[in-house]
Every structure is written in structure tokens, then in C-alpha cells.
Amino acid sequence: MGDAGNGRIYVLRLGHRPERDKRVTTHVALVARAFGAHGFILADVCDEHVMNSIRRVLDRWGGRMYLECGVSGSRYVKEWRRRGGLVVHLTMYGLHIDDVIDEIRASPKPKLVVVGAEKVPRLFYEEADYNVAIGHQPHSEVAALAVFLDRLYMGLELHLSFPEAKVVVEPSAHGKKVVKRG
Ligand code: SAM
């Protein structure tokens, strides 16, 4: 389990099926990084394709995320709570984000944000401190995580910069500019 210091945010991805979820799970990890999470944990399997993709992005674009894979999702969640952390499970069946986000943000506990793939076992609904709905329509774990982190950080995460980045984007009105850092 990572160094889950106060207030840090980790993302636990459940239900990854290597034969069909590589792209979506990679996007979950990329959103976790870009939107300010401190760790990404892939439950049950170690899909090296996914883990290497995120490692490559960290190497080139910076960021120091804690990465782990192949852990039991249910044990991880139980252990997280036992150690005093907060578990937030994103699900369309939960409480509306607007009704709980201030309370979650105010908690000084390290937070484990859990997202599923297909059907999420009942245990996670029961173990979570918060079951949070990003609206009550079915959509995607990528969208749910992005909106959750954006609301949690109140938009500030979009101004994050990563000091160890080898390259950075130079914003331009037209075209693409990327500059190398020395
Ligand atoms: N019917 C599935 C279920 O039992 O939750 C939905 C699976 S959905 C394709 C994959 C994941 O996206 C879910 O496990 C959840 O984490 C996230 N998700 C999808 N829609 C959501 C919503 N409206 N609010 C919060 N999370 C959502």
C-alpha cells in the first residue's frame, strides 16, 4: 500500500479485463495522473501493457505517481479503511456528488477512489464510506473519475505542472507546440 499521507488521493480500478479494457483502464490511469491523484492501483491483474503505458507518460510528461497492480480489490479497500483512510466508490446508484463533495473534501483522511468496469460486487457498495454518483445516468469510469477529481479540487488540478517533465506543452491558438526541458 502506498504512502497514503493525509489528504492524498489514490485510484483503485476494479474489474479490468485485459482482453477488452486496456484502453479504458489506461485512460483511467491517465486521468488519475493528469487530474491530481497520487496513486493508481489496478486490482486483481497486472496488465503490463497498461502499467507500461502510464510509466511511459510519467517518464516523459512528469509526475510521481505510486503504481501497484494485482492486489485483491476487496482486501485493499478493507485495509485502507482499517488504516484510517476514506473509501469513495463512484457509482450511478450512489448519492449525488453535489450533496457529498464538500464533506469528502473536508476530510483530512487519505482517499481511495474506486471505479469499476462492469458489474461491481456488492461488497464495495457496503464497504465504501461514500457511494457517489456523478449524476444518476450510466456513463463511464473515465468521465466519472475526471468529474469527481475536478469537483474535489475545484478545477485547480487543470493548472497542475509536473516539475520532472521532459517535455511541456506551449499553449498555442493553432497547431501543436511541445518544448523539451533541459
Ligand atoms: N452498470 C454498471 C454498474 O453496476 O455500476 C456500470 C458500469 S460502468 C461502464 C463502469 C464504471 O463507471 C462504474 O463501475 C462506475 O465506477 C463508473 N460510472 C459509470 N457511470 C457513473 C455515474 N453516473 N456515476 C458514478 N460513476 C459512474
Side-chain angles (χ1 to χ4, degrees):
M1 200 163 287
D3 162 36
N6 277 358
R8 289 164 81 83
I9 314 289
Y10 288 65
V11 174
L12 176 67
R13 161 60 152 169
L14 303 175
H16 172 74
R17 297 153 297 182
E19 64 291 350
R20 53 180 295 186
D21 291 332
K22 286 189 193 311
R23 201 172 145 80
V24 175
T25 299
T26 301
H27 287 185
V28 169
L30 292 179
V31 164
R33 172 192 167 275
F35 285 61
H38 304 92
F40 171 77
I41 300 109
L42 179 57
D44 302 318
V45 285
C46 266
D47 186 330
E48 284 308 321
H49 181 92
V50 171
M51 301 311 282
N52 285 336
S53 297
I54 181 73
R55 280 187 200 110
R56 273 198 303 276
V57 172
L58 287 167
D59 180 58
R60 185 168 156 80
W61 293 94
R64 293 207 181 143
M65 263 182 125
Y66 173 81
L67 298 177
E68 194 173 352
C69 62
V71 301
S72 153
S74 54
R75 260 190 253 140
Y76 206 90
V77 160
K78 286 183 184 160
E79 186 60 13
W80 192 271
R81 291 195 69 208
R82 199 187 65 73
R83 293 192 189 190
L86 194 80
V87 175
V88 177
H89 170 220
L90 301 184
T91 164
M92 62 188 275
Y93 305 107
L95 301 179
H96 197 284
I97 186 166
D98 286 350
D99 297 330
V100 289
I101 194 68
D102 291 342
E103 207 174 295
I104 294 173
R105 194 187 301 111
S107 165
K109 294 180 177 181
K111 297 165 190 71
L112 185 66
V113 184
V114 182
V115 296
E118 245 188 346
K119 197 170 159 47
V120 173
R122 181 148 203 90
L123 175 140
F124 292 95
Y125 292 81
E126 291 166 357
E127 283 288 328
D129 295 287
Y130 293 92
N131 287 289
V132 177
I134 311 299
H136 298 291
Q137 303 301 318
H139 46 80
S140 134
E141 49 274 50
V142 179
L145 179 62
V147 171
F148 176 79
L149 291 175
D150 186 64
R151 296 283 178 92
L152 186 74
Y153 289 126
M154 298 190 287
L156 295 176
E157 82 289 349
L158 297 184
H159 298 277
L160 268 180
S161 62
F162 297 92
E164 326 76 15
K166 290 180 180 159
V167 291
V168 289
V169 167
E170 197 175 295
S172 65
H174 304 284
K176 304 198 282 189
K177 274 190 203 155
V178 175
V179 290
K180 284 195 179 146
R181 279 218 181 131

